[in-house]
Amino acid sequence: MAMKVALLGCGVVGAEVVRLVDRQSAELAARVGAPLEIGGIAVRRLGRDRGTGVDPALFTTDATSLVTRPDIDVVVEVIGGIEPARSLILDAIKAGKSVVTANKALLAEDGATLLAAARAAGVDIYYEASVAGAIPLLRPLRDSLAGDRVNRVLGIVNGTTNFILDRMDTQGAGFAESLEEAQALGYAEADPTADVEGFDAAAKAAILARLAFHTQNVTAADVHREGITEVTAGDIASAKAMGCVVKLLAICQRAADGGSVGVRVHPVMLPREHPLASVTEAYNAVFVEAESAGRLMFYGPGAGGAPTASAVLGDLVAVARNRLAGTSVGEGGHDTGLPVHPMGQTVTRYHISLDVADRPGVLARVAEVFAENGVSIKNVRQEGFGDDAQLVLVSHRAPDAALAQTVERLRRLDMVRAVASVMRVEAFADA
Ligand SMILES: NC(=O)c1ccc[n+]([C@@H]2O[C@H](COP(=O)([O-])OP(=O)(O)OC[C@H]3O[C@@H](n4cnc5c(N)ncnc54)[C@H](O)[C@@H]3O)[C@@H](O)[C@H]2O)c1
Ligand SMILES: N[C@@H](CCO)C(=O)O
Ligand code: NA
C-alpha cells in the first residue's frame, strides 16, 4: 500500500518536492518500504503551470478538506506564515496524519502547541528544513545528541545577511548595494526586513534553543534581536584591525549556573581563526558545543528550492517509515522548563572604539568608567594623535547590562567626541 502525501503550497520549495518525489520514486519506495504517492496539492489558485508535470486533477484550493481526507497519511506544509498553516497542521494532526513542515515562523511562534498535539495524537511532526535549509541539524540535535549535554549553539542561520556582511568585508561594498545583489540572487525574503533586522534568524534561534536545551517555552519573542542595518564600514574596519570578521550570529547559551538560557541574535566580531569566520557568501553554519562531543560544526546551503526540498524529503522518508512501523517520536515530551534570562544578564564581551582628544587624563578617565561599572578591560590601543585620536578597547566578559551602561557613561564624557563603534565580541567558550 502506498503512503499518500498531501502537499500544502506549491511555490519554490513545494514544486521541488513534487519533482523529487516523482524523479526518485523507485529509490524512495525502497527506502520507505512502500511507494510515496502525492495524493493532492493545495494551491491558492488553480490553472497555473507550475512546471511539475503532475496530473492537474491533483490540484485543489480546498486545503482544509485535503488534510483530513481519509486516504492521506502525511501532510507536507510549505505554504509558510502563521495562518492558515497552523490551523491546517492542527487539523491534519487531529485527523491522525503525520506532518512535515519547513515553516520556521510557525515553529518559533507556536512549536510547543504543535508538538503537544502530535504527541497526543501519536503522530510525528518533523521540521528539518525550517532551520539552515538542507543542513542536517535539527535531527542531529534531537536524536544524535540526545545522550549529551549541549552548552552552546552559535550559528550563521541567515544566508542573506551573511552574504551582505561578506561583500562588505571582502569587497568593501556598501550595505544597500550588497542587499540588492542578495535579492537579485534570490536569497532574500520578499520583504528583506525579516533578513536584515534579524527576525528570520531569531525564529531559527528559538527553534534551536528548544531542541538544544529541551526547553519548550522559548518563542521568537523571547529572543534578543538586533539586525545588521547599523553595521558600518567603520565597524568592519575595526573588526579587521583586530583580526576579526563581522557576522550575524544566533547564539543559544546555557547560563553558567545551568538554571536558565540566553537566546540572542546580533552582529558580532569573531576572530578569523574561528570556523564560523570562514563561512562566506550565503552559506549557513552552526557550531555546537556539547559536554562529551566537544565542538561540532554543521555547514552547507541554508536556502533555495532544491536544498530545502532535500531536507523535506529526508523528513518525509523518516515519518513514512515510522508510520509503517506503527510508531512516532513523541518529541517535546521531556520539558526542562529552563527559563530564558534577559539580555542584560547574558555574559558578553564588547569592542568599543572612541573618538577622543589625545590629552593627559583621557585614558585614565575612560578606564575609570569601566571600573565604576565593574567591567574589566582586556586590552586597549590608541590610533592617531591630537584631535584625531581613537581609543580602541576590548572588555573582559561581563553582564551585558554592565557593558551597555559603560557605553552610555562613555558617551556622556566631554572628552569623548563620539562612540565610533560598539560591537560584541564572540570566540570559543573558553577563550
Ligand atoms: N525558499 C527557501 O529557501 C526556504 C528555505 C527554508 C525554509 N523555507 C520555508 O518553506 C516554506 C515555503 O517557502 P517557499 O520559498 O516555497 O515560499 P513560496 O512563496 O515560493 O511558496 C509558498 C506557496 O504557498 C502558496 N499558498 C499561500 N497560501 C496558501 C493556501 N492557503 N493554500 C495553498 N497554498 C497557499 C503560495 O501561493 C505559494 O505558491 C516557508 O515556510 C519558508 O519559510 C523556505
Ligand atoms: N531568507 C532566508 C531564507 C532561508 O530561510 C535566508 O536568507 O537565509
Ligand atoms: Na536543516
Side-chain angles (χ1 to χ4, degrees):
M1 267 262 288
M3 277 276 150
K4 280 228 176 146
V5 180
L7 184 69
L8 309 182
C10 196
V12 172
V13 179
E16 196 58 35
V17 168
V18 175
R19 270 191 287 276
L20 291 176
V21 167
D22 178 53
R23 199 187 322 143
Q24 304 175 14
S25 61
E27 293 104 308
L28 292 171
R31 288 173 202 164
V32 169
L36 287 181
E37 191 182 311
I38 304 274
I41 304 172
V43 293
R44 223 169 5 192
R45 274 181 301 280
L46 294 175
R48 274 185 51 212
D49 177 17
R50 294 176 169 81
T52 51
V54 295
D55 179 358
L58 287 176
F59 290 95
T60 173
T61 53
D62 186 358
T64 308
S65 300
L66 177 62
V67 297
T68 53
R69 226 172 64 190
D71 62 319
I72 296 296
D73 296 289
V74 183
V75 170
V76 174
E77 184 275 310
V78 279
I79 293 173
I82 306 300
E83 287 294 349
R86 171 169 45 201
S87 301
L88 290 168
I89 290 176
L90 287 171
D91 286 352
I93 288 171
K94 282 183 200 133
K97 324 296 186 193
S98 290
V99 172
V100 174
T101 174
N103 194 332
K104 61 222 162 191
L106 177 58
L107 259 306
E109 182 166 307
D110 216 3
T113 305
L114 300 179
L115 293 185
R119 283 198 308 280
V123 298
D124 281 323
I125 175 163
Y126 276 40
Y127 49 95
E128 181 61 75
S130 67
V131 182
I135 307 173
L137 172 64
L138 302 188
R139 284 206 270 148
L141 276 172
R142 189 192 72 185
D143 300 331
S144 321
L145 289 166
D148 207 333
R149 181 183 165 94
V150 173
N151 287 320
R152 194 163 79 135
V153 179
L154 280 184
I156 294 169
V157 291
N158 180 269
T160 302
T161 46
N162 201 57
F163 181 87
I164 294 171
L165 292 172
D166 184 40
R167 283 288 189 275
M168 289 171 80
D169 179 57
T170 56
Q171 296 178 10
F175 178 88
E177 57 179 301
S178 305
L179 172 59
E180 267 173 40
E181 203 183 339
Q183 285 175 302
L185 288 165
Y187 302 135
E189 303 286 316
D191 173 5
T193 311
D195 297 303
V196 297
E197 295 292 1
F199 290 101
D200 177 77
K204 292 163 177 170
I207 296 170
L208 288 173
R210 280 210 301 261
L211 279 166
F213 307 127
H214 307 271
T215 181
Q216 286 299 305
N217 54 343
V218 188
T219 69
D222 299 312
V223 181
H224 174 89
R225 177 193 52 77
E226 295 168 35
I228 64 162
T229 48
E230 280 164 29
V231 174
T232 62
D235 294 326
I236 305 259
S238 289
K240 265 191 185 155
M242 290 210 309
C244 286
V245 60
V246 176
K247 294 287 184 194
L248 183 76
L249 292 191
I251 304 173
C252 315
Q253 189 161 12
R254 221 181 260 283
D257 67 2
S260 61
V261 297
V263 192
R264 52 197 165 110
V265 168
H266 54 72
V268 305
M269 292 184 182
L270 196 67
R272 284 187 191 261
E273 60 271 18
H274 194 284
L276 288 176
S278 58
V279 176
T280 57
E281 305 271 320
Y283 281 94
N284 283 192
V286 178
F287 194 73
V288 177
E289 296 168 0
E291 218 136 283
S292 306
R295 297 168 178 165
L296 306 168
M297 171 114 143
F298 300 83
Y299 170 84
T308 308
S310 163
V312 170
L313 263 280
D315 280 355
L316 187 51
V317 168
V319 304
R321 281 177 179 155
N322 284 353
R323 274 183 98 77
L324 279 179
T327 183
S328 61
V329 165
E331 185 191 325
H334 167 230
D335 184 3
T336 57
L338 278 177
V340 179
H341 58 244
M343 184 62 190
Q345 283 175 28
T346 299
V347 173
T348 62
R349 237 165 53 176
Y350 273 31
H351 159 278
I352 303 168
S353 300
L354 306 171
D355 292 340
V356 295
D358 184 6
R359 286 202 313 261
V362 172
L363 179 58
R365 182 67 194 111
V366 166
E368 216 168 59
V369 171
F370 275 76
E372 283 160 8
N373 288 285
V375 176
S376 172
I377 296 169
K378 182 167 189 259
N379 54 52
V380 57
R381 68 171 201 278
Q382 181 176 326
E383 283 171 4
F385 302 100
D387 286 342
D388 285 328
Q390 201 165 56
L391 277 181
V392 182
L393 302 113
V394 179
S395 76
H396 275 296
R397 286 178 209 282
D400 200 78
L403 288 158
Q405 178 72 9
T406 304
V407 173
E408 274 323 296
R409 291 278 153 76
L410 290 171
R411 258 186 231 289
R412 280 190 248 137
L413 289 183
D414 286 344
M415 58 193 62
V416 171
R417 283 199 314 279
V419 177
S421 166
V422 180
M423 200 174 285
R424 298 182 185 92
V425 181
E426 282 295 328
F428 294 110
D430 49 6

